[in-house]
Amino acid sequence: MKKLLLRALLLSGGSFILLQHTASAQLSFTGQLRTRTELRDGQGTLPTHETKASIFTSQRTRLNLGYSTDRYRFFISGQDVRVWGSDQSTISNLEGSKLFLHQAWGEMILSDSSTIKVDNLSIKAGRQEILYDDSRLLGNLDWLQQARRHDAIVIKFSHKGWIADAGFAFNQNHGKDTPGKSGNIYQSIPAAPVAPGTNGVGMMYKSMQYGYIARSGKFGKLSMLVFKDDFQKTETVEGVTTFKDGVNSRVTVGGALFSKLSGNLNLNAAAYYQGNNDRFGNILDAYNLTLDAAYTFGKFTINPGFDLLSGNNTTKPGNVNRRFDPLYGTPHKFWGFMDYFYVADAFGVNGVPANSPGLVDYFIRTKYKANDKLTFALDVHEFYAANKIAASEALPTLEPSGRRFGTEVDLVVNYNIFKSVGIEAGYATILATDNLKLVKAPAVAKKDRGQWAYLMLNFTPYFLAK
């Protein structure tokens, strides 16, 4: 009886201390469980005549814990991503690779009411999502179940409508000085020449630095970005790639305007230039231009516009790389839900990214908000190459004709069942020309059409909500 009484007193005392402490601090505990069942019949690349459609379900499970005071903020997010049926029914030691840390950062607040009198001045360090503006060049890629994050330090400033951030990252494979090896040579993740990032970048940066500044007001928002990412130098001899001392640096600079012309009309524009060197050390001279307008009347919104990403003249190879890379953004949001351009699957003649002719995307996005719970979206894309397309030796029966790639149609329906439970369904299809077949890997005979459908359930509970 005495032990039970002592435990009760300790528990009540601990609860009192926690309540007193959280009175001046904020604790958040949220989660997410997102399942997505997909029918894939040419999503990402056109199917071959022998390819059969596949059906599978993937799942993301997240737990997010945040703690905030007037002097610092702390956040940690762990997630598990897997395909249903890919695991054994019993515990396996091989399952650890699917449970990983998505975010873990601390933010020290330097501004206060007595010394530094600004809205916010802070230093944020750790694994974190980095996203700005519309996530065109820097985004969290949330559509992908694994999402995207960076190990970085970001200095953050905001005051009276102004935002100014500076970010830094420096990557290493380990913290040891291995005998016979330079401790500063970063054998990139992944080391093999695969294409896990945008535009088949194929390797993680060694380091990066960026500056971002934005001004918000009644007109909307005007922003500017300077971003430099450095890649470890490599040398390939007889098909074997080795890493060398030094880096090749890529510099991207530009700005975006998100203007509100009236209560119903928005105009958005962006221009970015990419120069210096690509990751192989080639001279880089590329650009991205975009313009769109969104007009809302009643429950309906129409959003026409175009995107231009420069590319190489694949019929006349040169020493200058003019292929624009959309960095670490969210391609799924901009260039069609079928993910044919600037995603993991290589985009270039014979599936070689260096042979990418670039992209011109004329689009019309529409949205109908039936009520607070139900929304319909229908997008139509007309894709063209930004430059000439060369013939493929692997597909001698196909001849490039003009620059048109094809037409894509995307339909999405969103329904919020409860406050923290939603359902989303989508269908997308692309009608391809021979030009599109020439720039998608692998270089084999393919069908004229790809399609994709999905059904997604999304649970986002707030565990501490009253």
Side-chain angles (χ1 to χ4, degrees):
M1 184 66 182
K2 290 182 179 180
K3 290 184 178 180
L4 289 176
L5 180 60
L6 180 60
R7 290 178 182 176
L9 287 173
L10 290 173
L11 181 60
S12 61
S15 300
F16 176 76
I17 294 172
L18 179 61
L19 289 173
Q20 288 293 103
H21 189 61
T22 56
S24 59
Q26 294 183 348
L27 181 67
S28 64
F29 186 31
T30 64
Q32 182 188 41
L33 191 150
R34 188 173 78 178
T35 67
R36 186 160 67 224
T37 301
E38 302 183 41
L39 167 65
R40 290 192 176 187
D41 185 20
Q43 200 274 347
T45 191
L46 288 167
T48 66
H49 294 281
E50 294 77 24
T51 302
K52 294 183 179 180
S54 64
I55 299 177
F56 66 94
T57 298
S58 62
Q59 177 175 320
R60 173 206 283 174
T61 308
R62 275 185 186 172
L63 288 177
N64 309 309
L65 178 65
Y67 183 75
S68 177
T69 73
D70 58 351
R71 302 307 302 166
Y72 69 91
R73 305 181 185 98
F74 174 85
F75 183 81
I76 186 168
S77 174
Q79 71 179 24
D80 177 89
V81 175
R82 63 191 62 234
V83 172
W84 285 7
S86 63
D87 308 329
Q88 303 178 60
S89 59
T90 56
I91 296 175
S92 168
N93 292 330
L94 301 178
E95 300 308 318
S97 61
K98 297 179 181 178
L99 178 65
F100 56 96
L101 198 63
H102 176 56
Q103 293 193 79
W105 53 261
E107 185 172 5
M108 180 172 56
I109 302 171
L110 304 177
S111 56
D112 56 45
S113 58
S114 59
T115 55
I116 305 176
K117 298 180 180 180
V118 297
D119 293 343
N120 181 75
L121 178 62
S122 60
I123 300 177
K124 184 177 179 181
R127 176 162 293 188
Q128 58 191 284
E129 295 180 345
I130 297 178
L131 61 158
Y132 292 101
D133 298 333
D134 55 359
S135 296
R136 174 174 295 272
L137 298 186
L138 293 174
N140 60 354
L141 196 61
D142 192 62
W143 170 257
L144 186 70
Q145 296 285 47
Q146 294 90 333
R148 175 183 283 129
R149 63 274 171 200
H150 302 258
D151 297 327
I153 295 177
V154 181
I155 302 172
K156 303 175 72 67
F157 168 88
S158 64
H159 187 64
K160 294 184 177 180
W162 285 94
I163 294 176
D165 289 359
F168 309 89
F170 183 79
N171 293 327
Q172 289 285 58
N173 291 107
H174 53 74
K176 299 181 293 182
D177 184 13
T178 304
K181 295 183 178 180
S182 172
N184 290 319
I185 289 183
Y186 179 57
Q187 296 181 353
S188 181
I189 305 298
V194 297
T198 59
N199 213 357
V201 67
M203 63 189 297
M204 186 68 170
Y205 54 74
K206 163 70 175 180
S207 58
M208 69 88 172
Q209 312 87 44
Y210 76 86
Y212 172 85
I213 187 169
R215 170 64 173 168
S216 298
K218 293 182 179 179
F219 66 93
K221 179 181 175 183
L222 180 64
S223 67
M224 182 174 180
L225 174 70
V226 178
F227 189 96
K228 182 170 80 75
D229 46 355
D230 310 306
F231 299 91
Q232 194 77 53
K233 288 184 177 181
T234 59
E235 183 179 47
T236 302
V237 178
E238 296 182 353
V240 179
T241 299
T242 57
F243 292 89
K244 302 172 58 180
D245 285 317
V247 295
N248 295 315
S249 298
R250 177 174 63 181
V251 178
T252 305
V253 60
L257 172 66
F258 306 91
S259 64
K260 194 174 183 64
L261 301 182
S262 69
N264 297 332
L265 180 61
N266 294 345
L267 181 66
N268 307 314
Y272 296 96
Y273 173 78
Q274 211 161 65
N276 205 43
N277 298 110
D278 63 16
R279 74 178 182 91
F280 297 107
N282 301 311
I283 297 174
L284 185 60
D285 183 17
Y287 61 91
N288 171 214
L289 302 173
T290 182
L291 178 68
D292 72 271
Y295 182 73
T296 301
F297 48 98
K299 298 180 178 181
F300 185 77
T301 300
I302 184 169
N303 176 209
F306 81 94
D307 253 321
L308 168 60
L309 297 94
S310 66
N312 293 315
N313 182 344
T314 57
T315 63
K316 297 180 180 179
N319 297 323
V320 178
N321 184 4
R322 305 187 188 280
R323 173 176 55 94
F324 186 87
D325 188 313
L327 296 181
Y328 311 98
T330 306
H332 182 84
K333 179 180 178 181
F334 297 100
W335 304 297
F337 294 166
M338 293 291 289
D339 290 337
Y340 272 51
F341 308 100
Y342 306 104
V343 192
D345 186 47
F347 162 47
V349 175
N350 291 327
V352 179
N355 293 335
S356 170
L359 181 70
V360 181
D361 175 18
Y362 299 100
F363 60 83
I364 297 179
R365 302 188 181 105
T366 62
K367 181 178 291 185
Y368 178 74
K369 187 175 181 180
N371 51 52
D372 291 338
K373 291 189 173 184
L374 182 61
T375 303
F376 299 88
L378 178 65
D379 301 346
V380 179
H381 297 263
E382 192 71 17
F383 295 118
Y384 291 82
N387 222 314
K388 292 183 178 180
I389 304 171
S392 169
E393 295 180 359
L395 297 171
T397 59
L398 296 183
E399 287 291 332
S401 176
R403 299 186 180 184
R404 182 171 174 267
F405 284 139
T407 303
E408 179 173 328
V409 179
D410 304 329
L411 173 65
V412 175
V413 181
N414 271 287
Y415 183 70
N416 295 322
I417 304 173
F418 308 116
K419 182 179 179 180
S420 299
V421 181
I423 185 171
E424 179 176 317
Y427 176 78
T429 185
I430 190 166
L431 306 174
T433 65
D434 287 346
N435 292 333
L436 186 57
K437 299 176 184 179
L438 290 170
V439 297
K440 296 301 293 180
V444 296
K446 297 195 173 186
K447 296 180 181 179
D448 296 328
R449 178 172 174 252
Q451 60 181 341
W452 172 58
Y454 69 92
L455 179 66
M456 187 161 67
L457 292 174
N458 194 25
F459 299 83
T460 54
Y462 291 77
F463 297 117
L464 300 182
K466 294 181 180 179

